[in-house]
Amino acid sequence: NVLLNTVAGGLVALLLAAGIAYLVEFLDQGLRRADDVRDRLDLPCLGVIPKFRHVPGSSKSHRPNDRHDEAVREAYRRLRINLLFATPDADLKSVVITSVRAGEGKTCTAANLAVSLAGSERHVLLIDADLRKPDQHRLFGTTLEGGLSELILKTPTAARVQMNGFRQTQFANLSLLTSGTVPPNPAELLASKRAIALMSSIGPQEDLIVIDSAPAGMVTDALSLAAGASATILVVEAGKTKASQAASTIEALREVGANVIGVVLNKTSRRVGAGYSY
């Protein structure tokens, strides 16, 4: 029966195509676009940052006529605006920047977000709280020692501490607190009473504090910081970080009371990063 065989063959082909499509969707959990973040993580995508080589705004990469640099700067300005709109009714004082894995660009994101916020006439303090692989001191061309880890050891457990580790940067309104000497027990140090007392005393004169922390999907360092911060942002590398990995990290952050307000999709391709142009 030709008709019956044709219909049966069509149904089998349809079921096979649907199965292949489902399998591809199941296996491909990479977060490539802002829609992927919203659909799979149920969180807003606060920023889509294209790939670039240097920190935008620094002396090494500041070329006003370079459209590449201007696109990156505009992406961080959009991230700044979305951050402020994400918490309109909250007293936004401190923001923890973390990631799922190492190498996703959280340190560069924290630095550029701090620069962008400082450029909007806010007094900003950037803290390098990644006590495992600190890198903010290299980005800003300063020394590592005399930073966060040393201040934690000097902080009394039940009193406010006199801050003396802030360093001015080449950007107006932006100060930096480096990580200090790398300790042998970063997770325990950041979860200590001294660290909690220090973080509550930092920056009363600052409008906003941006905290660069270790990847929350790998170590528990960021959990202690995020629990006491006003907001937490998760940085994921476009096409590399799986949605299941990001969801597990977000769940771990929320279990300690962190206010995860959104995701930054980092290292996107030019086609994904360019939404529109004049």
Side-chain angles (χ1 to χ4, degrees), residues 2-81:
V2 176
L3 179 61
L4 181 61
N5 290 339
T6 302
V7 172
L11 290 175
V12 171
L14 182 62
L15 291 174
L16 184 61
I20 293 175
Y22 176 80
L23 181 61
V24 170
E25 179 70 18
F26 178 78
L27 294 177
D28 182 16
Q29 294 191 25
L31 301 169
R32 289 183 171 83
R33 298 177 178 273
D35 291 340
D36 296 336
V37 174
R38 289 189 288 265
D39 295 341
R40 297 177 181 179
L41 301 180
D42 195 25
L43 278 174
C45 183
L46 300 178
V48 179
I49 313 298
K51 294 179 182 178
F52 63 95
R53 292 184 178 181
H54 301 297
V55 181
S58 69
S59 58
K60 293 183 179 179
S61 65
H62 184 59
R63 297 185 296 273
N65 296 325
D66 193 328
R67 294 180 60 187
H68 174 90
D69 284 353
E70 182 55 37
V72 175
R73 284 192 290 268
E74 179 60 28
Y76 280 109
R77 285 193 289 265
R78 185 175 293 269
L79 171 59
R80 177 192 70 201
I81 293 172

Side-chain angles (χ1 to χ4, degrees), residues 125-138:
L125 171 64
L126 174 61
I127 301 177
D128 192 350
D130 188 343
L131 302 186
R132 296 176 185 268
K133 293 183 178 180
D135 209 27
Q136 294 292 352
H137 64 287
R138 294 191 182 93

Side-chain angles (χ1 to χ4, degrees), residues 231-249:
T232 299
I233 295 176
L234 186 69
V235 178
V236 299
E237 184 177 357
K240 299 292 184 180
T241 304
K242 292 184 178 180
S244 57
Q245 295 173 319
S248 298
T249 303

Side-chain angles (χ1 to χ4, degrees):
N1 192 322
V2 176
L3 179 61
L4 181 61
N5 290 339
T6 302
V7 172
L11 290 175
V12 171
L14 182 62
L15 291 174
L16 184 61
I20 293 175
Y22 176 80
L23 181 61
V24 170
E25 179 70 18
F26 178 78
L27 294 177
D28 182 16
Q29 294 191 25
L31 301 169
R32 289 183 171 83
R33 298 177 178 273
D35 291 340
D36 296 336
V37 174
R38 289 189 288 265
D39 295 341
R40 297 177 181 179
L41 301 180
D42 195 25
L43 278 174
C45 183
L46 300 178
V48 179
I49 313 298
K51 294 179 182 178
F52 63 95
R53 292 184 178 181
H54 301 297
V55 181
S58 69
S59 58
K60 293 183 179 179
S61 65
H62 184 59
R63 297 185 296 273
N65 296 325
D66 193 328
R67 294 180 60 187
H68 174 90
D69 284 353
E70 182 55 37
V72 175
R73 284 192 290 268
E74 179 60 28
Y76 280 109
R77 285 193 289 265
R78 185 175 293 269
L79 171 59
R80 177 192 70 201
I81 293 172
N82 289 341
L83 165 64
L84 299 176
F85 273 107
T87 54
D89 298 324
D91 184 15
L92 184 63
K93 183 64 177 179
S94 57
V95 181
V96 169
I97 310 297
T98 187
S99 61
V100 178
R101 304 175 293 106
E104 296 192 271
K106 62 164 186 65
T107 294
C108 204
T109 299
N112 283 278
L113 175 60
V115 170
S116 182
L117 287 165
S120 62
E121 302 301 322
R122 291 176 174 83
H123 291 281
V124 180
L125 171 64
L126 174 61
I127 301 177
D128 192 350
D130 188 343
L131 302 186
R132 296 176 185 268
K133 293 183 178 180
D135 209 27
Q136 294 292 352
H137 64 287
R138 294 191 182 93
L139 292 181
F140 288 91
T142 186
T143 57
L144 179 70
E145 293 74 16
L148 180 62
S149 59
E150 283 86 359
L151 285 176
I152 292 175
L153 296 179
K154 297 177 182 177
T155 302
T157 58
R160 300 185 71 85
V161 64
Q162 183 68 31
M163 300 302 301
N164 58 1
F166 295 178
R167 303 178 187 181
Q168 296 303 313
T169 68
Q170 64 267 42
F171 301 98
N173 302 320
L174 177 60
S175 302
L176 171 67
L177 178 62
T178 62
S179 67
T181 304
V182 176
N185 55 340
E188 290 77 8
L189 188 64
L190 290 172
S192 66
K193 292 181 179 180
R194 292 178 181 272
I196 295 173
L198 174 64
M199 298 305 292
S200 64
S201 302
I202 281 181
Q205 73 281 6
E206 307 294 337
D207 295 324
L208 192 59
I209 302 171
V210 179
I211 306 172
D212 176 19
S213 67
M218 300 180 64
V219 292
T220 61
D221 305 19
L223 302 184
S224 303
L225 297 167
S230 305
T232 299
I233 295 176
L234 186 69
V235 178
V236 299
E237 184 177 357
K240 299 292 184 180
T241 304
K242 292 184 178 180
S244 57
Q245 295 173 319
S248 298
T249 303
I250 293 169
E251 182 180 359
L253 288 165
R254 286 174 171 168
E255 284 179 353
V256 299
N259 178 25
V260 184
I261 62 171
V263 173
V264 171
L265 196 60
N266 200 32
K267 300 182 182 181
T268 63
S269 67
R270 284 287 151 180
R271 290 181 301 172
V272 174
Y276 68 91
S277 60
Y278 286 104

